[in-house]
Each structure stands twice: as structure tokens, then as C-alpha cells.
Amino acid sequence: MSQEELLVLIYKKDEKAFTHLYDMYSKSLFSVIHVLIKNREEAEDVLQDVFVKIWKNIDSYNESKGRFYTWILNIARNTSIDKLRSKNFNNSQKNLSSDNFVNLLDESNKLTHKIDAIGIQEFVKKLKPKCIEIINLLFFKGYTQQEASEELAMPLGTIKTQNRNCINDLRNYLKI
């Protein structure tokens, strides 16, 4: 099923479309979510929330503003960041035993391969070192622009401009 056919069915709220949507995008969205949410079970919960949001908010998708995949990727990223900033999530992370940290490190090492499987990492590596640093903080680690500004000791306006320029460079590499 093509993406265009899928979108038509989703707009009609056809239940079979949800299964197709999940089959087409769950692996790549989970990879992105798991980069931010290091805990597998929490990442799976976020993935479920993401698909519900996509389903419920499909009317807010506008083809003229961007690709469908970019739209759902932003939903996944924003939902993950919301989860990271939630009070319950932060409290649950304080109670982790040292055994969990070993598992997190192991999963983290496997994660670089998952990111690379969707191809983004290879294109990011082609960017200037400052762009790699900014994109790593903003998109892969979930920093806000303000937090990235503080981390890199750069003015907020510079971070915003650099981020925009870096994304444009990335688009040129991707030919979007």
C-alpha cells in the first residue's frame, strides 16, 4: 500500500489503515523514540501514544507544509521529550538500581545501529562539526534550544540560526 492510499484510509478512519500505518512506520519511529527514552518499556509506551496521536490528529496534517514521515517523526520526538520532562518519568528514573544502568549502556550501544538503519546518522556525519554537535543535542538527545545554548556556551539566537542552517544543509544532502 502506498503512503497516499494509506493517508486516504486514515482520513476515513478505516481500522485496517491503523495496522498498515503501524507496520510501515513502527520500527523507524521506535528507533527515534528509543534514542531519547533509554528504557525499552517506556519507549514502547511512548510509541503507542504516538500512534494514537497520529490517528486522532490526522486532520492537522497538511501535505503542503511537509512530508507525512516528517510530521509523524516530529510527533514521536515531541512525545518523547514530553515524557522525559514529565514528573513521573523523572521520579521513576531516580529509583533505578545499578543493574539497570548496565542494561541501559548495552542497549545504548545497540542503538547507534538502529539510528544508522534509518540512514540519518550517515547524513549527519557529513555536516560541519558544529552542526553535528547542535543536531546531536537538539534532535538525538532532546535538548531544548535554550539548553543547547547553555551547553555549548553560545547565544540562543546563534543556536537557532545555526540549527536552521544545519537543517538546510541536511536537506541538501537528502535532496528534499
Side-chain angles (χ1 to χ4, degrees):
M1 176 180 295
S2 74
Q3 181 176 301
E4 291 76 22
E5 294 169 327
L6 176 64
L7 282 171
V8 168
L9 293 175
I10 294 172
Y11 281 120
K12 292 179 181 178
K13 300 296 184 190
D14 183 315
E15 291 182 20
K16 293 178 185 174
F18 190 84
T19 303
H20 288 293
L21 175 70
Y22 187 85
D23 290 344
M24 286 175 76
Y25 296 107
S26 62
K27 288 180 183 175
S28 61
L29 291 180
F30 181 77
S31 294
V32 171
I33 293 167
H34 201 237
V35 167
L36 296 169
I37 309 287
K38 310 274 190 260
N39 179 296
R40 183 171 188 81
E41 291 80 24
E42 294 285 346
E44 288 169 352
D45 287 344
V46 170
L47 181 66
Q48 183 177 6
D49 292 343
V50 166
F51 277 99
V52 170
K53 285 181 180 182
I54 292 167
W55 188 257
K56 287 183 176 180
N57 298 312
I58 191 64
D59 293 330
S60 67
Y61 170 64
N62 184 343
E63 271 186 58
S64 66
K65 291 185 178 179
R67 295 180 12 201
F68 179 69
Y69 182 73
T70 304
W71 183 73
I72 65 174
L73 195 60
N74 281 329
I75 292 173
R77 183 178 164 275
N78 292 340
T79 304
S80 299
I81 291 170
D82 290 346
K83 180 69 171 183
L84 286 171
R85 291 182 180 159
S86 74
K87 190 180 235 180
N88 289 339
F89 183 79
N90 286 327
N91 287 340
S92 72
Q93 296 305 298
K94 291 177 185 174
N95 298 326
L96 290 176
S97 70
S98 60
D99 293 338
N100 286 336
F101 288 106
V102 173
N103 292 337
L104 289 174
L105 289 173
D106 289 342
E107 287 181 18
S108 174
N109 291 335
K110 295 176 193 170
L111 215 46
T112 56
H113 301 296
K114 289 181 182 178
I115 294 170
D116 201 32
I118 59 176
I120 295 172
Q121 200 73 333
E122 288 304 312
F123 289 103
V124 171
K125 287 179 184 175
K126 294 179 182 179
L127 297 172
K128 295 176 254 170
K130 189 53 82 179
C131 284
I132 293 170
E133 201 171 15
I134 290 170
I135 287 176
N136 185 40
L137 290 176
L138 294 176
F139 293 95
F140 295 121
K141 293 188 177 176
Y143 280 45
T144 63
Q145 290 179 335
Q146 180 64 45
E147 291 167 339
S149 167
E150 292 165 7
E151 177 76 21
L152 298 173
M154 294 172 69
L156 180 59
T158 303
I159 289 291
K160 290 179 178 184
T161 302
Q162 288 286 329
N163 181 39
R164 188 171 40 253
N165 292 339
C166 294
I167 295 300
N168 285 334
D169 290 347
L170 193 55
R171 281 187 182 126
N172 289 333
Y173 285 126
L174 296 170
K175 306 285 189 247
I176 297 177

